[in-house]
Amino acid sequence: MKKIVLILLTSLLTVTLPAETSAIKETHPSPIRLLMHTERLWRAGQYEEAMDSATYILTIAPNNSAAKNFIHDHWDDMIRHTNRTLEQNAGETDLQQSLVRLELFRLLAEIADNLKEVQLPLVGTNWQWYPELYYSQGDYDSERMHIYHMLLEEANQCLRSYDTEGAKKHLLTALRYLLPGNERESNRAELQAAIIRNMSAMRNTRSIPEAIFTYELTNLSDALRGDSAVTLDTIEHMRPVLQAHIAELYEAKADELLQQGDSAQAADYRALADDWRTTVQPDPDR
């Protein structure tokens, strides 16, 4: 279980050994330093990360015999560890287990990419050998999109409960798992369009809670927005319209309460109407 937790943390935190590996690669370290790092990862039980590091060494030092020996001697143990961890985290509807699988597939995809740059078979003293990898970039991409859609469903459940903050958290996390560029931006645009459709459908509601939820969708849209001028113009146009509508609903409720003889509560609702008539600037942190 400790090994599974370690792997899960590598996909969620920025201060773990995998993050250190990425930082080390960016500094163009010596093979000796990378070998020390590789051994440390292996001792920590992070077998796939260690193999990623070892295969990377061969991309910058193709004749490094220590890296070749490490890969040859530890490959089968890594594969067994991978298979065991995947078996223990096979839940298709469990987000945390899916994240464990995603991190494994990410590392295996990197290992495969590294080996594409290495002359095979690997040759050592009295042996030559082809490392066999049973997982591919396709496994990583499939799991990545699986998690993306799981997070979208979590966000939709939040929206059905009028929880825009929860939806924002899940949607921003979902976007993080998309590839930068067209994949991320096209999906961001689709999410924006869905939010705008929801706002348009609910903008004339006579329910005060629904009207306020509709207004909060403008903040969710701000959190997700890209560079689309159309989206920006649409949200900027709808925000004051929604504010005015909410103020009108509070005013109507105040009139209704006054007719019922409840002047104190009517005054409270009229004050709320005045608050919503005040121009509200969107919170950049929302």
Side-chain angles (χ1 to χ4, degrees), residues 107-161:
L107 289 167
L108 293 169
E110 284 192 0
I111 292 168
D113 286 343
N114 291 339
L115 289 174
K116 289 175 185 177
E117 300 182 34
V118 173
Q119 185 171 350
L120 298 176
L122 297 180
V123 178
T125 304
N126 301 321
W127 60 265
Q128 64 175 16
W129 169 72
Y130 281 95
E132 236 181 313
L133 195 59
Y134 304 104
Y135 305 96
S136 67
Q137 178 71 33
D139 294 298
Y140 173 55
D141 289 336
S142 176
E143 195 65 58
R144 194 168 49 78
M145 295 310 297
H146 173 62
I147 288 173
Y148 174 74
H149 289 296
M150 286 179 71
L151 287 165
L152 288 192
E153 180 53 33
E154 292 284 339
N156 285 331
Q157 288 185 20
C158 288
L159 289 175
R160 285 192 285 271
S161 301

Side-chain angles (χ1 to χ4, degrees), residues 52-72:
D52 181 24
S53 180
T55 54
Y56 174 73
I57 292 171
L58 292 185
T59 68
I60 60 175
N63 298 317
N64 190 291
S65 58
K68 290 180 182 179
N69 287 330
F70 181 93
I71 297 168
H72 177 263

Side-chain angles (χ1 to χ4, degrees), residues 5-276:
V5 172
L6 279 171
I7 293 172
L8 175 59
L9 288 175
T10 65
S11 70
L12 299 177
L13 303 180
T14 59
V15 292
T16 52
L17 288 173
E20 185 180 334
T21 299
S22 299
I24 287 175
K25 288 180 182 179
E26 291 173 3
T27 61
H28 306 290
S30 68
I32 292 175
R33 186 182 172 202
L34 277 171
L35 278 167
M36 293 172 61
H37 182 65
T38 299
E39 292 287 354
R40 184 158 65 93
L41 287 165
W42 189 266
R43 288 194 301 272
Q46 295 177 253
Y47 297 159
E48 294 78 15
E49 183 71 26
M51 194 60 66
D52 181 24
S53 180
T55 54
Y56 174 73
I57 292 171
L58 292 185
T59 68
I60 60 175
N63 298 317
N64 190 291
S65 58
K68 290 180 182 179
N69 287 330
F70 181 93
I71 297 168
H72 177 263
D73 295 345
H74 293 85
W75 188 267
D76 288 345
D77 286 337
M78 180 203 71
I79 293 295
R80 280 192 290 270
H81 178 265
T82 298
N83 290 336
R84 186 167 61 250
T85 306
L86 289 173
E87 288 171 4
Q88 294 170 341
N89 293 274
E92 288 294 313
T93 60
D94 188 303
L95 179 59
Q96 297 307 312
Q97 291 189 16
S98 296
L99 287 169
V100 172
R101 295 195 302 273
L102 180 69
E103 177 62 10
L104 282 179
F105 289 140
R106 181 189 71 79
L107 289 167
L108 293 169
E110 284 192 0
I111 292 168
D113 286 343
N114 291 339
L115 289 174
K116 289 175 185 177
E117 300 182 34
V118 173
Q119 185 171 350
L120 298 176
L122 297 180
V123 178
T125 304
N126 301 321
W127 60 265
Q128 64 175 16
W129 169 72
Y130 281 95
E132 236 181 313
L133 195 59
Y134 304 104
Y135 305 96
S136 67
Q137 178 71 33
D139 294 298
Y140 173 55
D141 289 336
S142 176
E143 195 65 58
R144 194 168 49 78
M145 295 310 297
H146 173 62
I147 288 173
Y148 174 74
H149 289 296
M150 286 179 71
L151 287 165
L152 288 192
E153 180 53 33
E154 292 284 339
N156 285 331
Q157 288 185 20
C158 288
L159 289 175
R160 285 192 285 271
S161 301
Y162 295 170
D163 178 7
T164 55
E165 281 301 305
K168 181 179 78 170
K169 179 185 75 173
H170 291 305
L171 290 176
L172 291 178
T173 303
L175 287 173
R176 204 177 70 212
Y177 286 108
L178 298 177
L179 297 178
N182 288 339
E183 184 179 85
R184 184 176 296 167
E185 292 311 311
S186 63
N187 281 278
R188 187 197 302 275
E190 288 181 13
L191 294 175
Q192 283 275 23
I195 291 170
I196 291 173
R197 284 195 299 272
N198 282 336
M199 284 191 287
S200 298
M202 298 176 67
R203 65 193 299 176
N204 294 320
T205 178
R206 303 307 297 176
S207 163
I208 291 176
E210 283 188 357
I212 293 174
F213 168 71
T214 306
Y215 178 83
E216 288 178 349
L217 287 177
T218 66
N219 290 323
L220 177 57
S221 179
D222 280 340
L224 295 175
R225 73 184 181 189
D227 299 325
S228 170
V230 174
T231 299
L232 295 177
D233 289 346
T234 301
I235 299 302
E236 292 306 311
H237 169 73
M238 293 186 74
R239 184 174 279 118
V241 172
L242 289 168
Q243 278 183 248
H245 181 56
I246 294 168
E248 175 194 323
L249 292 177
Y250 273 120
E251 196 71 52
K253 184 65 176 177
D255 290 341
E256 179 185 331
L257 289 166
L258 193 58
Q259 289 176 2
Q260 295 171 358
D262 191 344
S263 58
Q265 195 168 2
D268 290 340
Y269 272 81
R270 217 172 295 283
L272 288 169
D274 289 339
D275 284 343
W276 277 97

